[in-house]
Amino acid sequence: MKRIIGAALIVIVLTFGLAIPVSASSLGISPSKIDIEVPQGGSAIAEFKVYYYTGDLNVTLVDLPFEVEPKVIHATTSPTDVVLTFYASAMQPQDEYNGYVRFLSSGNTVALAVNIVATVTVSLSANIVDPPIRYGGGGGGGIPVYGYDADLFGTSDKLRIDYYGKVKDDVEAISNDGNLTISIAKNTTALGQDGKRLKGLAIEASENPPASPENKSIIGLPYTFSPSGATFDPPMELTWNYDPDALPEGTVEEELVIAFYDEAIEEWVELECVVNTSTSAITTSVSHFTDFAILAKTVDKKPDDAPIVVSPPQPIIKPEPQPLPTPITPVAPPPVVEPAKPSQQPVTITATPAPPPPVDTPRTASWWLIIGIVAGSIVVVGSIIVLKKRLDRSK
């Protein structure tokens, strides 16, 4: 039981010992142990904090076959952040090494050693980094800055970037034809697809760009920005000039856009842009690397030799006027004459013509009605006179 309790106490002490700074007099270093992997011919980073001490500290390695930078740390505050870079030669055997980093004050009054377990690895794809070219933060205790190759439109340059991915200088590059300008502001965080600091960049004209989307056409040269997946915070700025005289007929300049090719969905994605038609330039912000191009809407038009067919105007056919119905003139019926009864006494017969039935006639036929009535009356009167004469003769 005592052995179990003793082992538990040792574990607890070791656990807290790794979490708190190792101290000697007025010097503390945290953490007290670090495991790192160093590729052959490459380098690895280890970060420390220095507590309770201000002044210079000399850095040396014990039982570790590497080079270390910086060799002197300037501790100005408590805590002071320290980044050490360990370099392995290209001939370093692949093995695990257990040693120490020793921090010794300039007057050799205080010293501390931090346990380092370093494994040398061999990898054909290992990132071989340049030695730091400058240190910031007040001397050797600052964050190391690296110089990586930058191929900007065929021009070789150096991209200065620190351990955390901060770009140390303003970067501006212009394409060979003068149409495309990229601007990366100082202190922009530039990271690779693995989330670590960007280790170089390249921009070149795309020889085999993805096909343009439907109803769109690519204007000018598209460009490939690599490495694909690199990110920038804040985004870098693109200014892309175009030749208005070279635009397809019917293109509306205000509708030109810069687009990037999204490999995940295999489509061009349009960016928010500002088109300045007075300078023939399009401006946008880009936060990652891939293929970029200017896109314009495709305008459909008929061939110049296609005949234009104009349909003749159709005649307007007016309906023929229909004649009005002819009014019907009513005719009075003939008088009804009863035969005379034989008698010795003369009989006087008075025939009264029956009035004609009322007929609704248009006003235009009233004169014909009057003439008919007069004619009928004459006939009746004449018949009476003739009948009377016959009666008089018969007497």
Side-chain angles (χ1 to χ4, degrees):
M1 179 62 69
K2 291 182 179 180
R3 291 181 179 179
I4 296 175
I5 294 174
L9 290 174
I10 292 173
V11 171
I12 293 173
V13 170
L14 289 175
T15 302
F16 281 96
L18 295 177
I20 62 176
V22 177
S23 62
S25 299
S26 60
L27 175 62
I29 304 290
S30 177
S32 59
K33 182 180 180 180
I34 290 181
D35 294 333
I36 60 174
E37 291 187 356
V38 187
Q40 277 185 342
S43 65
I45 297 293
E47 299 181 41
F48 302 89
K49 288 184 180 294
V50 176
Y51 295 89
Y52 322 126
Y53 183 84
T54 57
D56 292 344
L57 289 173
N58 297 307
V59 180
T60 57
L61 301 181
V62 178
D63 297 330
L64 294 173
F66 307 116
E67 292 292 329
V68 64
E69 289 286 349
K71 291 181 171 57
V72 178
I73 295 171
H74 306 292
T76 57
T77 60
S78 181
T80 295
D81 292 325
V82 175
V83 179
L84 297 182
T85 305
F86 299 85
Y87 298 94
S89 70
M91 302 303 294
Q92 189 69 44
Q94 182 179 2
D95 202 350
E96 182 178 282
Y97 300 89
N98 195 329
Y100 297 90
V101 175
R102 184 170 60 185
F103 299 88
L104 181 63
S105 65
S106 58
N108 297 328
T109 56
V110 293
L112 268 182
V114 176
N115 181 216
I116 299 291
V117 177
T119 303
V120 176
T121 61
V122 177
S123 174
L124 295 178
S125 60
N127 292 319
I128 310 303
V129 302
D130 293 336
I133 56 178
R134 184 175 65 83
Y135 292 91
I143 300 173
V145 178
Y146 302 87
Y148 295 104
D149 292 333
D151 183 1
L152 305 175
F153 306 109
T155 302
S156 297
D157 204 342
K158 282 289 184 181
L159 174 67
R160 299 194 329 133
I161 189 168
D162 70 14
Y163 173 71
Y164 298 104
K166 294 284 187 181
V167 178
K168 305 309 293 182
D169 307 288
D170 290 328
V171 178
E172 183 173 284
I174 303 175
S175 62
N176 295 329
D177 59 8
N179 288 335
L180 177 59
T181 302
I182 70 162
S183 300
I184 303 175
K186 181 180 178 180
N187 291 326
T188 296
T189 299
L191 303 177
Q193 196 168 17
D194 57 359
K196 298 180 181 179
R197 67 181 179 276
L198 189 63
K199 298 177 177 65
L201 58 87
I203 303 174
E204 57 185 354
S206 180
E207 297 180 355
N208 187 24
S212 60
E214 187 177 359
N215 299 327
K216 297 278 186 178
S217 58
I218 295 177
I219 304 300
L221 287 175
Y223 285 88
T224 298
F225 292 54
S226 61
S228 179
T231 60
F232 299 84
D233 183 21
M236 65 180 184
E237 186 176 277
L238 295 188
T239 302
W240 211 321
N241 293 88
Y242 61 90
D243 183 0
D245 295 332
L247 296 176
E249 184 179 353
T251 299
V252 179
E253 292 185 47
E254 290 80 357
E255 296 179 353
L256 294 173
V257 294
I258 297 175
F260 71 90
Y261 189 73
D262 190 328
E263 296 180 355
I265 61 176
E266 297 183 347
E267 290 182 2
W268 287 94
V269 179
E270 297 180 2
L271 295 166
E272 292 186 3
C273 304
V274 176
V275 180
N276 188 334
T277 56
S278 61
T279 60
S280 302
I282 312 171
T283 304
T284 189
S285 296
V286 174
S287 60
H288 64 286
F289 271 2
T290 181
D291 289 343
F292 293 87
I294 296 179
L295 297 182
K297 288 184 179 180
T298 302
V299 180
D300 294 331
K301 67 173 185 177
K302 295 181 179 180
D304 295 337
D305 56 351
I308 300 176
V309 179
V310 179
S311 299
Q314 299 295 326
I316 299 175
I317 302 176
K318 296 182 178 180
E320 296 181 358
Q322 299 294 327
L324 295 176
T326 303
I328 300 175
T329 302
V331 179
V336 178
V337 181
E338 294 182 359
K341 293 182 179 181
S343 173
Q344 298 299 323
Q345 299 294 331
V347 178
T348 302
I349 298 175
T350 303
T352 303
V359 179
D360 294 333
T361 58
R363 293 181 179 179
T364 56
S366 59
W367 288 105
W368 290 104
L369 178 61
I370 294 172
I371 294 174
I373 293 173
V374 172
S377 299
I378 293 173
V379 172
V380 172
V381 172
S383 299
I384 294 174
I385 294 173
V386 171
L387 181 59
K388 186 177 179 181
K389 287 181 177 181
R390 288 181 180 179
L391 289 177
D392 290 340
R393 289 176 184 176
S394 62
K395 291 179 180 181

